[in-house]
Amino acid sequence: MDSQTSQPSQASPSPHTFQVDLRGLVDLLSHHLYSSPKVYLRELLQNAVDAITARRAEQPDAPAAVRLYAEGGTLRVEDSGVGLTESDVHSLLATIGRSSKRNDGLESARSDFLGQFGIGLLACFVVAERIRVVSLSARTPDAVPVEWTAADDGSYTVRTLPREARAEPGTTVHLVARAGAGEWLSPERVRTLARDFGALLPYDVRVGDEPVADLPAPWDRPYPSPAGRRVALARHCRELFGFTPLDSIDLDVPLAGVRGVAYVLPTAVSPAQRASHRVHLKGMLLTERAEQLLPDWAFFVRCVLDTDSLRPTASRESLYEDETLAAVREALGERIRSWLTGLAANDPERLAAFLSVHHLGVKSLARHDPEMLRTMLPWLPFETSDGRLSLEEFAQRHPVVHFTRTVEEYRQVAPIASAQGVGVVNGGYTYDSELVEALPAVRPGTAVSELDADTVTAHLDTVDPAEELALAGFLAAARSRLDPLNCDVVLRAFHPLSVPALHLDDRAARHEQARAEAEEQADDLWAGILGSLRGSTPRARLVLNHLNPLIRRISSLGDPELIGTATESLYGQALLMAQRPLRPADSALLNRAFIGLLEWATHTDPGKDDRR
């Protein structure tokens, strides 16, 4: 190679090690990773339980005890676990992110452990200014106790202790509270937190001499009778969630590694409200706010369970969204679905009580599950023109199941349709129209039809042509007055007689009406664009009842102005009866008609006054 073109060799840069500001890291943990300082105690319990699990993997008969002693702003936690050697202390306690579960060939057995991220002990700095660990390894016969002392400024010391400093294998952690955090290390707070986090731990955990664990879990205990079990679980629900459940559902899914119970809420809740559930991981409370544990439709239950198959996030305060969680969610949903079908088959009274509160949740499930819809069809309540009925009962009464898509449309037509013998279901509530449309799939032969203004009008009796011709002047005056409102006037005869007028429109008519109003208020550019969107849909219509005495009297008036005022009054009254929201133009019309009628009623003939 030409020496003039050769490049000088470059020496490889030497690697550097990341430097960690422990104070900044503790601030990160306390304000961003962990939701509350209370997690420090869970991390201490978790480390102790994992150490015992590791020792028992090699020595099945080893003791399994954890003791907590809180006094004067200090806390001491002792365990009979596997312990640490001096090299373990340097490698594990002083290296952030390294977990003992990744060492000593235990990687394949990590599912037996609670902690997997190697940051647990740092959580103690959230409440402590100093941590002292004394440990004796159970794996090394001639091991001596080792002491690791760390401060929240990032410094630590390690030294070996005389053999008599700790006679039995295991670890003791000493905490000294930081300024302002002494309350977290008080005996009462430690006892409360230990009970909350460790109630289902499989080992002998005590605060002083007081046991923490309460095993077996309430759902696994034997009871003298089913009624006794229901009472005990109801008491457990009140203690955990603060309500007395309508019922309880066992969540025993062995293949998913799940055991627990779901409690049915006694009051209705919004489907949009995120449900929070309590999840224990191998006995340790992981979170009280697990939101993704159940399918969205199961918003009517709150559950508590213990699992050994789900993965926690780094903070161990929520669940990692993966295929395992998706499978568990599906399995738990299937258990709740089976409970519902069981009630339908064996306990109709309890099912009726449940549906009176939570029919919305069941409808949410049934719209995606034909089998559930078929099972619940005789029980799910719907608002209909025949009263509150199930779709099964309603379909038996009517050859065609008509439904509306909005509550407003239903209120317009239900009284009239009922009087004409037309059955109508109010599909305006959440999920109802979808379920009505799914009816033929689970009940073959059922005819379902959306009810619109044309269908209602077609079921009303027409007026004799000669009579309608005689009222041509009246109808012309009425139509002229409502034409600016994009509303036609139709004369029909229908029951009940007490209804003088019926306002009918559909979504297409309302859409066209909104477009026309926007076009009137828009500038030239937008008016042109909106004008090009003009539809050919039918306009709204005011159906006058020829059988009603008031309509007969108005139709006999000879004054076109008075007919127009009366027509506007009928239009406004029909809107109010349908409980439709009033547009500004409608409100102005009602006010104008009211004033006009008052003026007419108080009008005085001057000639009559003179004759007096």
Side-chain angles (χ1 to χ4, degrees):
M1 179 180 294
D2 190 338
S3 60
Q4 293 180 348
T5 61
S6 63
Q7 299 293 327
S9 61
Q10 297 289 331
S12 299
S14 58
H16 298 277
T17 302
F18 282 106
Q19 301 298 311
V20 176
D21 179 359
L22 188 58
R23 289 186 184 274
L25 185 58
V26 169
D27 181 72
L28 178 67
L29 292 175
S30 60
H31 292 96
H32 300 283
L33 184 63
Y34 296 124
S35 63
S36 166
K38 71 179 182 180
V39 298
Y40 88 92
L41 191 63
R42 184 195 62 200
E43 299 297 335
L44 288 174
L45 286 176
Q46 179 174 283
N47 288 342
V49 169
D50 283 345
I52 294 172
T53 300
R55 183 177 180 185
R56 283 203 157 184
E58 302 173 2
Q59 305 172 21
D61 297 331
V66 181
R67 298 290 183 268
L68 296 92
Y69 303 95
E71 183 179 5
T74 65
L75 175 64
R76 185 172 85 254
V77 181
E78 301 177 353
D79 70 67
S80 59
V82 69
L84 300 171
T85 64
E86 184 175 358
S87 62
D88 291 335
V89 167
H90 284 288
S91 175
L92 301 175
L93 297 186
T95 305
I96 296 170
R98 179 174 296 174
S99 170
S100 62
K101 272 67 76 177
R102 295 185 175 90
N103 293 275
D104 301 318
L106 291 176
E107 180 69 24
S108 61
R110 283 175 64 195
S111 62
D112 293 332
F113 298 92
L114 299 172
Q116 301 175 5
F117 297 94
I119 57 176
L121 196 60
L122 286 177
C124 295
F125 279 121
V126 174
V127 298
E129 65 178 11
R130 188 169 73 254
I131 303 174
R132 176 171 168 259
V133 177
V134 177
S135 187
L136 177 64
S137 175
R139 290 180 176 148
T140 307
D142 57 349
V144 295
V146 60
E147 178 190 71
W148 177 83
T149 304
D152 60 3
D153 62 1
S155 63
Y156 74 92
T157 60
V158 179
R159 63 172 181 153
T160 57
L161 301 178
R163 180 75 185 186
E164 59 270 16
R166 186 174 181 96
E168 297 295 329
T171 300
T172 301
V173 179
H174 303 262
L175 301 185
V176 177
R178 65 169 54 248
E183 189 269 338
W184 289 104
L185 271 63
S186 67
E188 296 78 11
R189 178 58 67 91
V190 169
R191 187 179 301 110
T192 299
L193 294 179
R195 285 175 177 171
D196 201 29
F197 287 120
L200 300 184
L201 288 175
Y203 301 139
D204 179 16
V205 182
R206 296 172 183 261
V207 178
D209 296 326
E210 185 176 336
V212 168
D214 187 18
L215 295 175
W219 51 84
D220 285 331
R221 295 172 191 169
Y223 295 98
S225 66
R229 187 175 191 272
R230 283 197 296 272
V231 170
L233 289 179
R235 185 185 312 116
H236 179 243
C237 179
R238 284 195 299 272
E239 293 172 355
L240 286 185
F241 298 112
F243 65 85
T244 300
L246 281 178
D247 206 348
S248 57
I249 308 168
D250 285 325
L251 300 178
D252 184 7
V253 189
L255 293 178
V258 169
R259 286 282 297 157
V261 61
Y263 294 115
V264 181
L265 290 164
T267 56
V269 294
S270 167
Q273 179 177 329
R274 301 296 296 178
S276 296
H277 310 287
R278 290 175 64 95
V279 178
H280 296 255
L281 180 61
K282 304 177 187 71
M284 181 73 73
L285 179 65
L286 181 71
T287 178
E288 300 172 279
R289 298 185 300 274
E291 296 182 348
Q292 68 273 48
L293 188 64
L294 296 180
D296 290 340
W297 55 260
F299 55 80
F300 51 84
V301 299
R302 298 291 180 268
C303 70
V304 53
L305 56 83
D306 188 22
T307 176
D308 57 17
S309 64
L310 299 178
R311 290 176 56 195
T313 59
S315 68
R316 289 184 286 280
E317 295 189 285
S318 59
L319 298 171
Y320 187 80
E321 184 68 49
D322 57 9
E323 293 180 357
T324 302
L325 178 57
V328 168
R329 184 161 49 233
E330 182 178 350
L332 295 180
E334 183 58 38
R335 284 293 303 116
I336 297 173
R337 182 186 288 109
S338 298
W339 170 77
L340 284 171
T341 55
L343 285 186
N346 304 313
D347 201 338
E349 290 187 2
R350 284 172 66 199
L351 178 63
F354 166 76
L355 289 178
S356 67
V357 178
H358 295 298
H359 58 274
L360 194 60
V362 180
K363 287 180 177 180
S364 174
L365 170 60
R367 67 191 177 119
H368 296 304
D369 189 331
E371 186 58 36
M372 179 57 65
L373 177 58
R374 185 177 292 106
T375 301
M376 293 290 108
L377 199 59
W379 308 101
L380 288 174
F382 289 79
E383 183 180 356
T384 78
S385 54
D386 291 352
R388 199 161 182 81
L389 299 174
S390 70
L391 286 183
E392 175 68 26
E393 186 176 358
F394 188 81
Q396 291 174 355
R397 297 185 181 187
H398 299 279
V400 178
V401 178
H402 294 284
F403 72 97
T404 63
R405 292 193 182 275
T406 68
V407 175
E408 289 79 10
E409 290 173 353
Y410 176 80
R411 288 170 177 165
Q412 288 177 41
V413 303
I416 308 303
S418 178
Q420 310 305 312
V422 179
V424 185
V425 178
N426 185 355
Y429 296 117
T430 307
Y431 311 133
D432 282 9
S433 62
E434 297 174 68
L435 293 176
V436 175
E437 289 181 298
L439 191 56
V442 298
R443 196 178 189 275
T446 304
V448 173
S449 175
E450 183 176 353
L451 191 66
D452 55 21
D454 289 334
T455 304
V456 176
T457 305
H459 281 82
L460 304 179
D461 295 334
T462 59
V463 177
D464 181 84
E467 292 188 46
E468 187 166 1
L469 182 60
L471 298 175
F474 159 71
L475 293 174
R479 288 166 180 159
S480 175
R481 185 59 64 94
L482 295 188
D483 185 67
L485 297 173
N486 293 313
C487 182
D488 292 331
V489 176
V490 178
L491 189 64
R492 291 290 187 273
F494 57 87
H495 292 274
L497 301 180
S498 57
V499 177
L502 176 66
H503 181 269
L504 293 177
D505 63 0
D506 51 28
R507 285 175 297 164
R510 288 195 294 274
H511 175 76
E512 173 62 20
Q513 190 177 59
R515 186 210 60 77
E517 290 177 355
E519 182 180 357
E520 290 179 0
Q521 300 173 8
D523 56 29
D524 293 341
L525 174 61
W526 279 109
I529 295 174
L530 292 170
S532 67
L533 299 177
R534 182 178 295 110
S536 59
T537 54
R539 304 197 302 174
R541 65 197 68 174
L542 182 68
V543 183
L544 302 179
N545 187 1
H546 187 56
L547 302 180
N548 180 266
L550 177 61
I551 296 298
R552 287 183 175 274
R553 287 197 295 271
I554 294 175
S555 64
S556 65
L557 295 173
D559 184 352
E561 185 65 27
L562 184 54
I563 291 175
T565 301
T567 302
E568 288 180 336
S569 300
L570 291 169
Y571 174 85
Q573 189 261 356
L575 286 181
L576 294 175
M577 290 297 294
Q579 301 184 42
R580 287 283 305 279
L582 298 180
R583 300 169 299 160
D586 297 329
S587 299
L589 174 145
L590 278 172
N591 183 65
R592 183 172 64 247
F594 177 72
I595 297 298
L597 290 177
L598 283 178
E599 289 178 347
W600 178 82
T602 57
H603 177 71
T604 303
D605 187 338
K608 291 183 180 179
D609 289 342
D610 293 341
R611 286 192 295 271
R612 263 177 212 174

